[in-house]
Amino acid sequence: MSKFVENQTNVLDILDSDDEGDDRSSRPQVQNHAADDRRLENRSFWKAGAFDIGPTKWNPSQGELEHARVHPKFLHSNATSHKWAFGAIAELLDNAVDEVNNGATFVKVDRVYSKIDNSPSLLFLDDGGGMDPDGMRKCMSLGYSTKKTNNTIGQYGNGFKTSTMRLGADVIVFSRACRNGRATQSVGLLSYTFLRKTGQDDVIVPMIDFDISKHWSEPILYGTQEDWSTNLKTILEWSPFNSKDDLIQQFEDIGPHGTKIVIYNLWLNDEGVYELNFNEDDEDIKLRDETAHLSKLSRKAADKQSHISYRLLHSLRAYASMLYLRKFKNFKIILRGKPVEQYIIADDLKYPEVAIYKPQVSSAKQAVVETTLGFIKEAPAIGVTGFNVYHKNRLIRPFWKVTGEGHSKGYGIVGVLEANFIEPAHDKQDFERSSVFSRLETKLKQMQMEYWRQHCHLIGHQPDPGYLRQLQKTSSVPLQTQDGSLGQTVLGRAVNLSPDLNGSQMGVHGRTIYNNDMPTIRPPPGFQTGLDREVACADNSKAIDEICDENIQLFMRCEQYMQKETELKTKVDNLEKQVADTKRKCAELSLRLEFLRSQKRFFQLDDKTLVVFCRLYGIGDGFDLRLREAG
């Protein structure tokens, strides 16, 4: 079996070298060591837990109480909560970000090579407060957490175990701290390989600690010297470091305080190559399977998926740039030697508006959520849509689509909000399904549809007719303000329309504020410009905003003309009725006139009597002269 594993290891090294294009000469030289004993037979994460549990010793030692035990297989099943490798990396970044409260200024994420077998490992290094021996033991245990404040992201005491075991089979942690005037450094090993290879039926985590307060390393004993030596021997045998001096040397780049995490024996995908691709981009870490999928897309689809909403699925740099809602002041995420530039998507939206939502929660303090909505700068060419929902500054659901697929309304609208009133799931990639979550989903859908009705014309779509009618009901004709400039009344308040630098008259207005009932209606940008002016012909030099304003004016003028056309049609119908009545009366008068001509006695009447007679019969004064002439 060992020979088979050794051959498998060589094949994996060749695959890694050929597929990623590594320069083998740039790697550290492999030491002569039995590396085959330090790897699992199955290196695929989703298959690593497929083994039978052997006999378990349940009899407690003398004087030991019965207690629940954790089988090594649970480490793997617990890590399956992370369906996405980047979600696991985000957990480790969260731990470093939480250390900002303890003075952390950076976290480094990089690839390093194991000195044992040249395989790539994943490194995390921060300069936070570090962990003392007690903190190290809580970190390595299940369910223990030292984070009790409301401004920390971690809370369950499970993230470190699930995330590290999702990325690799083994992890070694180095941490240096100073508590109560005592400086310590600790080493802990959580090795799934060790537990599986040695047939353990309980999770054993060897740890050693040193007191460095006196400028030299002095072992800290919690049991006997033999126990401490046994832990050291186990760490050296199953870690990438094969001597005590090599272990101590790992603290040199930590500084006076901080934590260093090395995840090794990284998992492979179903094709037998590493899930994490370190060599496609020297300044990034990619997910190999996602990258391969994108390479098969058409050029048009690839252009669409160059948006960050797609890149964050396979690029750690893109994902980390959006991972936190607010920009750090004195903290940096350094990925492979280059700082990650934070991307605040709310600052990159066109025509942003803020919607206020007050969710119904059981907490004593009423929650108020501000949601920023707007069109992405690529709209309408790219139809990316969705809400980026954060919890305690951490991205939980990126580009969450609250409308169904194929729904044309809302295309290009992106929202950003921080929902601290809902608890996230354990993997921090979704929220727990609850009535509060369902109400939030419904509210976000309403916000998106209302924003679309009011702003869709700004990116070239035809305005919503219902909204235009509602707008006309709440707006009056332009008025003259006290300073002589044009103005108009919107919802009972005067809106000043003063000329801007380009000569166009733009309204001075604030942002739309929604509440839990109906939104406050105001004319969208450009609707309150001078509609009585002639729209100048556009040329190629005009700005997009100016063209949009002219387009809006034309839409509004079209509505006015349609109303005028209706009014004119009504007026024409009335006039035609009057003409018909007049013709009928003229015909009656002609018949009466002929009758009078046939009567000789009628013409013997004097003029005064003739006029009276004509008036009695409804004959106008205009016929008096004609009657006299006929006589």
Side-chain angles (χ1 to χ4, degrees), residues 110-301:
D110 208 342
R111 173 194 60 182
V112 293
Y113 287 111
S114 170
K115 294 182 178 180
I116 301 298
D117 57 4
N118 253 358
S119 62
S121 303
L122 194 58
L123 168 70
F124 293 83
L125 174 65
D126 68 70
D127 64 341
M131 294 179 287
D132 60 7
D134 182 61
M136 176 68 78
R137 280 150 182 79
K138 289 182 178 180
C139 172
M140 294 293 188
S141 301
L142 294 170
Y144 291 91
S145 177
T146 58
K147 302 172 183 179
K148 304 299 182 182
T149 60
N150 292 327
N151 57 353
T152 55
I153 303 171
Q155 55 182 320
Y156 298 117
N158 197 36
F160 173 80
K161 277 72 66 176
T162 59
S163 57
T164 54
M165 293 293 99
R166 172 61 184 87
L167 297 170
D170 311 291
V171 58
I172 186 168
V173 183
F174 305 87
S175 192
R176 182 177 284 173
C178 185
R179 302 285 191 274
N180 301 320
R182 186 190 188 193
T184 60
Q185 58 187 27
S186 303
V187 182
L189 177 69
L190 182 60
S191 174
Y192 187 62
T193 305
F194 157 66
L195 298 172
R196 286 280 291 109
K197 287 283 188 176
T198 56
Q200 302 294 328
D201 58 1
D202 204 351
V203 177
I204 298 174
V205 182
M207 287 176 278
I208 57 174
D209 308 283
F210 300 89
D211 188 335
I212 56 174
S213 302
K214 300 177 182 179
H215 305 290
W216 64 81
S217 297
E218 182 177 349
I220 300 176
L221 304 180
Y222 292 97
T224 63
Q225 178 66 43
E226 183 179 358
D227 294 336
W228 193 95
S229 300
T230 300
N231 285 337
L232 174 61
K233 181 181 178 181
T234 304
I235 292 174
L236 295 179
E237 183 177 357
W238 295 96
S239 75
F241 314 102
N242 54 10
S243 69
K244 179 181 175 182
D245 292 338
D246 201 3
L247 278 180
I248 299 300
Q249 187 179 3
Q250 301 306 311
F251 289 97
E252 292 183 359
D253 53 355
I254 293 179
H257 50 79
T259 301
K260 180 178 182 180
I261 300 172
V262 180
I263 305 172
Y264 56 103
N265 287 333
L266 301 177
W267 296 116
L268 312 178
N269 62 12
D270 293 337
E271 283 72 32
V273 291
Y274 291 103
E275 282 185 311
L276 300 178
N277 187 344
F278 298 98
N279 290 86
E280 182 178 334
D281 189 338
D282 292 337
E283 296 178 348
D284 201 357
I285 298 176
K286 300 288 188 73
L287 285 182
R288 189 182 305 277
D289 294 340
E290 291 290 341
T291 305
H293 170 70
L294 292 176
S295 63
K296 299 178 181 178
L297 297 173
S298 64
R299 181 175 180 180
K300 183 177 180 180

Side-chain angles (χ1 to χ4, degrees), residues 385-406:
T385 185
F387 288 86
N388 295 276
V389 190
Y390 290 77
H391 178 83
K392 292 184 178 179
N393 195 44
R394 159 75 139 79
L395 180 63
I396 304 297
R397 294 201 71 165
F399 296 95
W400 173 28
K401 294 182 180 179
V402 296
T403 56
E405 291 292 339

Side-chain angles (χ1 to χ4, degrees), residues 577-591:
K577 290 180 181 179
Q578 293 178 11
V579 170
D581 292 340
T582 303
K583 288 181 178 181
R584 180 177 52 80
K585 290 181 179 180
C586 288
E588 293 177 357
L589 290 174
S590 297
L591 291 174

